[in-house]
Amino acid sequence: MPPLFITFEGIDGSGKSTHLKRAAEWLAQHGVASRQTHEPGGTPLGDALRQLFLDHRWGALDGTVELLMLFASRRQHLLEVIEPALAAGEIVLCDRFTDSTCAYQGRGRGVPLELIDQVDLVATGRRRPDRTLLFDLPAAAARARRHGDRPGDPGGQRAVPGGRRGRADRLDAEDLAFYERVRQGFLEQAEREPRRFRIVESGGDPARTASQVRAALEDLLPAGVVRA
Amino acid sequence: MPPLFITFEGIDGSGKSTHLKRAAEWLAQHGVASRQTHEPGGTPLGDALRQLFLDHRWGALDGTVELLMLFASRRQHLLEVIEPALAAGEIVLCDRFTDSTCAYQGRGRGVPLELIDQVDLVATGRRRPDRTLLFDLPAAAARARRHGDRPGDPGGQRAVPGGRRGRADRLDAEDLAFYERVRQGFLEQAEREPRRFRIVESGGDPARTASQVRAALEDLLPAGVVRA
């Protein structure tokens, strides 16, 4: 197997984290091991930065302050986890990477993309994944999934068990318009780099989404490794 | 009084923090109020980033990771403390600013200055103080002061009481050659911007250093505010 760097992107509640785990299981069933990791975080320093990033105490942070913290975490993640794993021939499945920063801090918070690009150049040398799966759905549907607001589920149980969203964090306070801007930001990036991106519709049946995920990964794997 | 942004720079153990407090007292004696602050930190988020920055757990951090964390703290400090204080007409005395990053991460860790400049442009718009006092002394003398290694003081008592260096942090582990590089980095910056910098000799008698500090500030103040 060649080393592969694959990222899972989308707004909060898009199902990307759940489908990342499923993709890893599917690969494992075909004898393909993978390393699962996530941002912000993925390293001890990065996890500490993530805690600060999500902390309620700061209120609304300036987008460029967020940007610098996120790229500090990202560079540490690249140096400590991602590049060593790829150098050892592993397949890396990463929940969020630079595309999230462009979508959230760029489109969401209004930080100019040229400015993000400058910091990206310093922090990662403009490192891009081999493939990026974008989990797309309307912001309202993602929020309903985050909050567990399903018909017949008035108790507001979380719809995504096992996720890392045990309690409300700083971003949970953002409104729908923010998340819809972020969604559009992701879609614009996918349009700019169609060879790298695969858009996965994640608003409907999870089984159908999972099948789109497999289709988006199959052509990366050597022939004969997986049979649909 | 016009608002003034004045920074105190130098290697650890250079006496800058002690002399910043003295300068504030001296100004106060002449009826000039000032705001004292410091980096990294100076805000709740910045202080949390400072804790991470100095934490032993990460071992030796990559210079660019440090750079990104420091500029995140710096931008928050500018937005939350420094610029509002200056806008309100205050005199800001700041312990460390961007020159420390150029000296420590640039000359100390080898991060190219062009790269620091790119992040500086994004984070602060290349904000420069009105005046910078550089407390200069040999790295060995600064270390002796940090550790309290004075003749007749074998107990290793701290020579600078009241400082924020209650316990050894991650940077204390650096060797003398590192601190000598950092010192040279500061001196090179002073050479590049002679109008902004004043070099204060801080290896000798503290009273003489204090007098140099006053001389380095007097010409900034309106005539008649202070009498030597």
Side-chain angles (χ1 to χ4, degrees):
Chain A
M1 278 297 305
L4 286 169
F5 179 25
I6 301 168
T7 57
F8 288 61
E9 295 280 10
I11 58 177
D12 300 270
S14 64
K16 62 183 171 37
S17 309
T18 305
H19 283 287
L20 187 151
K21 287 193 199 88
R22 285 194 191 176
E25 286 160 14
W26 172 72
L27 287 169
Q29 282 161 14
H30 292 87
V32 178
S34 62
R35 162 88 62 120
Q36 299 168 55
T37 186
H38 67 273
E39 292 201 357
T43 65
L45 172 63
D47 288 336
L49 283 167
R50 176 195 181 87
Q51 294 282 10
L52 288 196
F53 182 81
L54 294 174
D55 199 308
H56 275 294
R57 276 179 293 167
W58 335 120
L61 279 180
D62 170 80
T64 305
V65 172
E66 293 188 345
L67 179 75
L68 293 161
M69 291 172 67
L70 291 169
F71 271 111
S73 163
R74 178 161 303 135
R75 182 173 174 84
Q76 186 68 21
H77 193 207
L78 267 176
L79 295 176
E80 192 177 328
V81 174
I82 298 173
E83 297 295 7
L86 294 171
E90 293 188 52
I91 292 184
V92 175
L93 307 181
C94 186
D95 188 337
R96 297 201 182 285
F97 196 63
T98 302
D99 294 311
S100 277
T101 308
C102 295
Y104 277 81
Q105 280 64 46
R107 274 299 234 122
R109 299 258 190 254
V111 179
L113 286 182
E114 309 82 71
L115 212 138
I116 298 176
D117 182 62
Q118 278 178 49
V119 180
D120 183 28
L121 181 62
V122 169
T124 80
R126 289 203 186 99
R127 186 72 165 90
R128 293 290 171 268
D130 297 300
R131 174 134 314 157
T132 297
L133 277 60
L134 171 55
F135 289 76
D136 184 60
L137 79 176
R143 182 164 78 173
R145 185 180 287 169
R146 285 201 304 279
H147 294 229
D149 304 338
R150 290 177 299 184
D153 180 16
Q157 289 294 308
R158 297 276 177 180
V160 186
R164 289 188 305 277
R165 64 172 71 96
R167 58 199 174 81
D169 60 38
R170 198 170 55 84
L171 290 183
D172 274 338
E174 297 291 347
D175 62 13
L176 266 191
F178 173 83
Y179 281 106
E180 197 55 49
R181 283 202 304 281
V182 173
R183 179 196 185 196
Q184 293 308 321
F186 276 124
L187 289 170
E188 285 161 13
Q189 283 154 241
E191 211 165 290
R192 274 193 294 271
E193 294 186 61
R195 283 168 54 96
R196 171 162 70 89
F197 273 89
R198 294 292 181 277
I199 296 175
V200 172
E201 287 167 41
S202 61
D205 175 23
R208 195 162 155 269
T209 304
S211 138
Q212 287 184 44
V213 169
R214 291 192 295 273
L217 296 178
E218 269 172 7
D219 68 302
L220 289 175
L221 307 172
V225 167
V226 292
R227 289 150 298 270
Chain B
M1 279 297 307
L4 287 169
F5 178 26
I6 302 168
T7 56
F8 289 61
E9 295 278 10
I11 58 178
D12 300 88
S14 64
K16 61 183 171 39
S17 310
T18 304
H19 283 288
L20 188 152
K21 286 195 199 87
R22 285 193 191 178
E25 286 159 13
W26 173 72
L27 287 169
Q29 282 161 14
H30 292 86
V32 178
S34 63
R35 163 86 62 120
Q36 300 168 54
T37 187
H38 67 273
E39 293 199 356
T43 64
L45 173 63
D47 288 336
L49 283 166
R50 175 195 180 88
Q51 295 282 9
L52 289 196
F53 182 81
L54 294 174
D55 199 307
H56 276 294
R57 276 178 292 167
W58 334 121
L61 278 181
D62 170 78
T64 305
V65 172
E66 292 188 344
L67 179 75
L68 294 162
M69 291 172 67
L70 291 169
F71 272 109
S73 164
R74 179 161 301 135
R75 181 174 174 85
Q76 185 69 20
H77 193 208
L78 267 178
L79 295 176
E80 192 177 329
V81 174
I82 297 173
E83 298 294 8
L86 294 172
E90 293 189 53
I91 293 184
V92 175
L93 307 181
C94 185
D95 189 337
R96 297 201 183 286
F97 195 64
T98 302
D99 294 310
S100 277
T101 308
C102 295
Y104 277 81
Q105 280 64 47
R107 274 299 234 119
R109 300 257 191 254
V111 178
L113 286 182
E114 309 82 69
L115 210 138
I116 296 176
D117 182 62
Q118 278 177 49
V119 180
D120 183 27
L121 181 63
V122 170
T124 82
R126 288 203 187 100
R127 186 71 165 91
R128 293 290 170 267
D130 298 300
R131 174 131 315 156
T132 297
L133 276 61
L134 172 54
F135 290 76
D136 184 59
L137 79 176
R143 181 164 78 174
R145 185 179 286 168
R146 286 200 305 278
H147 294 228
D149 305 338
R150 291 177 299 183
D153 180 15
Q157 289 295 308
R158 296 276 177 179
V160 186
R164 289 189 306 274
R165 63 172 72 95
R167 57 199 174 81
D169 61 38
R170 198 170 56 83
L171 289 182
D172 274 339
E174 297 291 346
D175 61 12
L176 266 190
F178 173 83
Y179 280 106
E180 198 54 51
R181 283 202 304 280
V182 173
R183 178 196 184 195
Q184 294 306 320
F186 276 124
L187 289 170
E188 285 162 11
Q189 283 154 244
E191 211 165 291
R192 274 192 294 271
E193 293 186 62
R195 284 168 54 95
R196 172 162 70 90
F197 274 90
R198 294 292 180 276
I199 297 176
V200 172
E201 287 168 41
S202 61
D205 175 23
R208 196 162 154 268
T209 304
S211 138
Q212 287 185 44
V213 169
R214 290 194 295 272
L217 297 177
E218 269 172 7
D219 69 301
L220 288 175
L221 306 172
V225 168
V226 292
R227 289 151 300 269

